Amino acid sequence: MSNDALRDLSQNKIVQRLGVPRIPVLRRYAPGQPLLEGPALVGAVGKGGHADGVRALLAGAGITEAGEEGKVAAAVLDATGARTLDDLAAAQQFLTPAVRRLAPSGRLLLLGPVADAQDAEAAAVAQAFEGLVRSAGKEVRAGATANLLVVAPDAGPDALASTLGFFLSTRSAFVSGQVVRIGAPVGAVEPGDPARPLAGRVAVVTGAARGIGEAIADTVARDGATVVAVDVPAAGDALARVANRTGGTALQLDITAPDAPARLLAHLRERYGRVEMVVHNAGITRDKLLANMDAERWNAVLAVNLRSQLAINQALSAEAGLLGDSARIVSISSMSGIAGNRGQTNYAASKAGVIGMVRALAPRLAERGATINAIAPGFIETAMTAKMPLGTREAGRRVSSLRQGGLPVDVAEAVGWLGQAASGGVTGQVVRVDGQNMLGA
Ligand code: NAD
């Protein structure tokens, strides 16, 4: 039994006969699971050049290509060569029969072109794929998702592999309607072992004692990383349990303390001599309408959610040699930072600020082989959302294409994807993990 009673009830045949629509049970990742639970359909329009790479990746994972009929676990269309409305029409001709064949928790994945500013039709077609995919995400059923990867001409097959792996697999169960840009990879792009893609990497996770941070610590440890679990001293017992379970180290630290960056860096220097992943997850809310907002609430939220991240990133950038040559920084933002939320001017400002920070730092970090990205979770089933009044909670769950809340592990899987050395083609981006929530979409 999950804590989503309506979803559980909707699995019952008698309840379905009363006209209650079935809320899909999403298939999630478990070690040893194949990349896909069935064959994949692969197509191309225009002169793209990525379809063969996709086929090779699927074949390498033991996935067969689908025949003329039957269900497909994924449909992948290489439209990176699409430039004309005729190419767009050819894409529709591929996609219409493909969506009809999509299995439960199936994956519709489009590879699209970068807009060519010199050619109005090509630019229009590039943008058209965003509207197409976002609409398809709202139409596909039974836990299926639809996403678009915009692939730069200089990206190359190595830049694509980890992102294809994430979006095709059950690791992206709660990610739909997203547009992710993939460029030439920064840093050392070694194709990781698909079973342990974070092997050998040291990962700092702030706010790791509970909730989403705890799931991130567990997930990146499962994928091979050594975790440095950070949280406030008051959460020390829970933090120690996470560190023990993951085989990492615990660092009791209030990240808003003036000496927090120096203490974190000293811990990394002394224990490991380097760091490959930094996950800025710790966050707080102090909700009040703007009309009733006081400086204390404002400053507390900005200090944890944004100022501490700026300070730690600044300290890491200033210290030569500590940030590994394929370092990946991931900041947890929020749907509130994109859509805004009543009573959350402080929180939304901090979470929008995280997105601004990520965009500004991406080009600078690229010079040293590092990436930085933001993840914006939507409604996630945590202790925080369990305390919401029932009406607000139900609304939060149902206003997404997948018609349910996500789990902490869904955010964690996205962190694990962006944290790989092989994900160097993705930087300065915001990826929503929100089941394609309708707010701010
Ligand atoms: P949570 O409150 O369960 O956990 C946050 C953790 O951060 C706690 O362990 C807390 O002790 C720690 N923390 C707080 N202040 C700290 C400080 N000064 N120094 C060190 N650690 C500190 O929250 P959660 O729901 O797991 O959220 C994790 C992140 O995801 C936050 O950034 C939150 O804003 C974001 N988020 C959550 C949701 C959701 O639905 N739960 C949605 C969008 C975004």
Side-chain angles (χ1 to χ4, degrees):
M1 192 84 174
S2 71
N3 46 4
D4 186 345
L6 184 59
R7 192 200 63 184
D8 295 344
L9 203 62
S10 78
Q11 309 309 313
N12 185 305
K13 290 251 167 1
I14 300 166
V15 174
Q16 284 167 24
R17 253 181 256 137
L18 293 173
V20 177
R22 184 163 177 247
I23 298 167
V25 176
L26 306 182
R27 201 176 287 153
R28 289 191 167 82
Y29 180 74
Q33 201 179 64
L35 179 64
L36 290 169
E37 295 279 355
L41 201 59
V42 182
V45 297
K47 291 196 188 71
H50 287 286
D52 287 343
V54 171
R55 286 192 180 95
L57 181 127
L58 292 169
I63 308 302
T64 54
E65 218 174 316
E68 295 291 306
E69 279 176 28
K71 290 280 177 210
V72 296
V76 186
L77 179 66
D78 174 14
T80 50
R83 299 188 65 82
T84 66
L85 287 174
D86 287 345
D87 293 334
L88 188 61
Q92 178 267 319
Q93 288 295 304
F94 171 85
L95 292 168
T96 292
V99 285
R100 290 199 193 125
R101 297 174 63 185
L102 214 52
S105 291
R107 299 284 179 259
L108 194 66
L109 192 57
L110 257 79
L111 312 187
V114 175
D116 179 351
Q118 306 304 316
D119 180 334
E121 185 173 352
V125 167
Q127 191 73 26
F129 284 112
E130 296 198 15
L132 190 166
V133 162
R134 291 201 171 105
S135 301
K138 295 180 179 184
E139 292 182 10
V140 290
R141 304 173 69 86
T145 63
N147 292 287
L148 171 66
L149 310 179
V150 175
V151 188
D154 56 354
D158 286 349
L160 265 176
S162 71
T163 301
L164 283 172
F166 174 71
F167 279 99
L168 289 173
S169 74
T170 48
R171 293 177 193 257
S172 60
F174 200 58
V175 184
S176 194
Q178 295 306 291
V179 178
V180 173
R181 285 159 215 285
I182 304 179
V186 299
V189 180
E190 303 122 28
D193 168 2
R196 284 172 67 79
L198 303 176
R201 293 167 79 69
V202 174
V204 172
V205 182
T206 68
R210 67 172 199 210
I212 294 172
E214 182 180 11
I216 294 171
D218 284 335
T219 303
V220 301
R222 177 202 70 193
D223 285 354
T226 301
V227 173
V228 178
V230 178
D231 213 301
V232 289
D237 289 348
L239 188 68
R241 280 195 293 278
V242 172
N244 288 340
R245 190 169 69 228
T246 57
T249 52
L251 177 63
Q252 292 186 10
L253 185 68
D254 177 345
I255 54 169
T256 64
D259 66 346
R263 284 188 53 206
L264 174 62
L265 265 60
H267 182 90
L268 293 169
R269 213 182 295 118
E270 284 154 24
R271 300 289 182 112
Y272 308 101
R274 68 200 160 80
V275 61
E276 280 82 20
M277 276 175 75
V278 179
V279 188
H280 294 294
N281 162 78
I284 60 167
T285 52
R286 296 283 183 276
D287 294 2
K288 261 296 176 217
L289 294 176
L290 181 57
N292 303 326
M293 184 65 68
D294 52 70
E296 203 183 319
R297 279 191 175 81
W298 182 272
N299 291 333
V301 168
L302 269 292
V304 179
N305 297 7
L306 183 57
R307 195 184 289 276
S308 70
Q309 296 198 19
L310 285 162
I312 290 170
N313 290 341
Q314 167 68 30
L316 281 167
S317 305
E319 171 126 345
L322 195 58
L323 217 50
D325 69 353
S326 62
R328 308 285 176 244
I329 302 176
V330 184
S331 288
I332 305 301
S333 174
S334 168
M335 192 174 69
S336 295
I338 296 169
N341 199 13
R342 189 171 184 276
Q344 290 199 320
T345 50
N346 51 356
Y347 183 75
S350 73
K351 294 298 188 178
V354 161
I355 295 172
M357 173 193 72
V358 159
R359 290 187 178 141
L361 285 179
R364 273 184 261 165
L365 286 165
E367 288 166 18
R368 48 199 296 175
T371 65
I372 180 165
N373 293 285
I375 293 175
F379 184 98
I380 304 295
E381 303 281 358
T382 59
M384 185 180 89
T385 48
K387 283 197 208 111
M388 285 178 172
L390 181 67
T392 319
R393 189 164 72 236
E394 267 307 295
R397 281 176 176 147
R398 308 302 164 212
V399 292
S400 74
S401 295
L402 293 167
R403 290 179 289 134
Q404 59 196 289
L407 300 181
V409 72
D410 296 328
V411 179
E413 297 286 9
V415 169
W417 153 53
L418 291 169
Q420 294 176 38
S423 297
V426 183
T427 192
Q429 314 258 322
V430 187
V431 182
R432 294 171 63 147
V433 178
D434 67 354
Q436 196 178 24
N437 199 295
M438 285 162 203
L439 299 182

